[in-house]
Amino acid sequence: MSELIQMTAPCLMGLEGIVAGELRRMDAQNVAADNGRVFFEGDMNILARANLRTRCAERILIVVGRFTALTFDQLFEGVKALPWERWIGRNEAFPVKGSSVSSKLFSVSDCQSIIKKAVVERLKATYHIPWFEETGAIHQIQFHIMKDEACIMLETSGAGLHKRGYRAHGVAAPIKETLAAAMVDLAIVKKDSIVYDPMCGSGTIVIEAAMKALGIAPGISRSFQCEQWECMDNACWREERELARSLVRTDAAFEGFGFDIDEQCIATAQENAQKAGVGEYLTFRRADVKNFAPQGERGTVFCNPPYGERLLSEEEARAVCKTLGRVFPRKPGWSYSIITPEEQFEQLFGRKADRRRKLYNGMIKCQLYSYYK
């Protein structure tokens, strides 16, 4: 096996365990969940595989090095000692961005300058040139200094992994694809599941459910920044794309239904489903949530109701929660997953959830309320 690369996958708070599980199933090694990220190791194929197939991570980054940095001299020397020539060619660009939390080196702009200078000095010694035009492919250097421990990374994904490529047109306050995928994972959607979203918006949750049920890799229809790097072995990307396509299920009996009161939302959801390659498995119709009624022996229901701070007044949002309690009754074979920041949701809904999980929808702290008993 080729040399292992240390990598990290940032994710929304609360999704670390899900992302760690995804990476283990992809044969990543030494997987370790941390706050808002998961560290792991693998070769170039694992790097490509993680970008193509992880549903809940936000990005995949290479960890170039980690060290203590109490002073700017320590930061400079620590960065300069790293093998930048392994990744960055003589004509390639390497901008720097990052953050510092609870550390002596608190000035982000000063840290950016120091790190940039250190990389330049390292590459000068390697390529024996005094100036870097940086006209080639971009290698975004990212640093995170937490309690004086510096983690220096290279972004490989480019656009965030939530950008699958199917949602060209959104609606007001859409749920992030990675969060929708996490809800699907937690509800244990399978290849024969029947899924509903009575307030579907642009269709993200049922589309993510269909993609998981069918085994469609979320990144299969997009490109990634590191594919342009001179150092990248594009053969591994071809292999991993072929492998991802081979995992698509052709025997899935999955069905998904999305309803919304807004006709434009329905049109947008249908368009997005077609772009995602799951249009034939999904049905979208205009309907009011107050008329939703579970029919049949089984069903998995998801709901991301409008939040008071996003679309509705607080009073209107709470009225929606009460409506959900009425139209989501206890019924054998049926489960309901509702994500909301409403702290009084269970009282408004009318019963305690069977399971609660803290999640973040962007910067909004929410709870995922699950009912399945």
Side-chain angles (χ1 to χ4, degrees), residues 3 73 90 113 149 153 250 318:
E3 182 182 353
D73 283 343
R90 61 192 298 138
S113 298
E149 292 297 314
M153 300 160 285
T250 57
R318 290 188 169 188

Side-chain angles (χ1 to χ4, degrees), residues 194-200 206 256-261 283 285-296 298-303 320 322-331 334-338 349 351:
I194 305 173
V195 167
Y196 299 83
D197 185 348
M199 305 180 78
C200 70
V206 288
F257 300 88
F259 310 111
D260 202 280
I261 198 169
T283 300
R285 290 200 304 269
R286 185 177 182 276
D288 193 318
V289 65
K290 68 183 181 183
N291 297 321
F292 181 80
Q295 299 177 352
R298 60 189 175 92
T300 303
V301 182
F302 296 97
C303 196
V320 170
K322 292 179 180 178
T323 298
L324 296 181
R326 177 175 59 81
V327 301
F328 292 174
R330 282 193 179 95
K331 188 173 182 179
W334 285 76
S335 66
Y336 310 97
S337 297
I338 306 107
F349 188 80
R351 64 183 190 270

Side-chain angles (χ1 to χ4, degrees), residues 42 62 67 89 110 203 206 244 258 272 304:
I62 293 167
F67 53 87
D110 286 338
V206 288
N272 291 345
N304 174 37

Side-chain angles (χ1 to χ4, degrees), residues 4-152:
L4 292 180
I5 305 163
Q6 187 175 33
M7 291 170 269
T8 185
C11 58
L12 295 172
M13 294 291 288
L15 304 189
E16 298 91 345
I18 295 174
V19 173
E22 287 188 301
L23 292 167
R24 290 189 183 100
R25 290 190 293 274
M26 294 179 203
D27 297 324
Q29 298 183 39
N30 301 318
V31 178
D34 200 354
N35 289 330
R37 63 182 59 237
V38 178
F39 289 97
F40 64 104
E41 293 181 346
D43 58 12
M44 287 289 197
N45 279 75
I46 294 294
L47 186 153
R49 189 176 303 168
N51 269 298
L52 287 164
R53 289 163 52 184
T54 182
R55 299 183 188 278
C56 300
E58 295 299 313
R59 296 179 179 277
I60 303 299
L61 298 95
I62 293 167
V63 179
V64 187
R66 301 165 76 177
F67 53 87
T68 300
L70 297 169
T71 67
F72 286 126
D73 283 343
Q74 287 181 329
L75 181 63
F76 180 87
E77 294 300 334
V79 172
K80 185 181 176 184
L82 300 176
W84 294 104
E85 63 278 3
R86 178 184 179 185
W87 305 107
I88 303 173
R90 61 192 298 138
N91 295 314
E92 294 183 311
F94 46 100
V96 180
K97 66 179 181 181
S99 61
S100 179
V101 179
S102 303
S103 299
K104 290 184 172 60
L105 302 181
F106 58 85
S107 171
V108 171
S109 59
D110 286 338
C111 291
Q112 283 178 298
S113 298
I114 293 292
I115 291 170
K116 182 75 173 186
K117 186 181 296 184
V119 177
V120 167
E121 290 303 310
R122 173 79 183 206
L123 294 179
K124 274 184 180 180
T126 301
Y127 296 123
H128 306 292
I129 54 177
W131 180 258
F132 294 89
E133 295 185 357
E134 300 190 51
T135 56
I138 296 173
H139 296 245
Q140 178 66 65
I141 297 173
Q142 187 172 140
F143 66 91
H144 181 61
I145 306 175
M146 178 69 173
K147 295 181 179 178
D148 302 318
E149 292 297 314
C151 184
I152 312 297

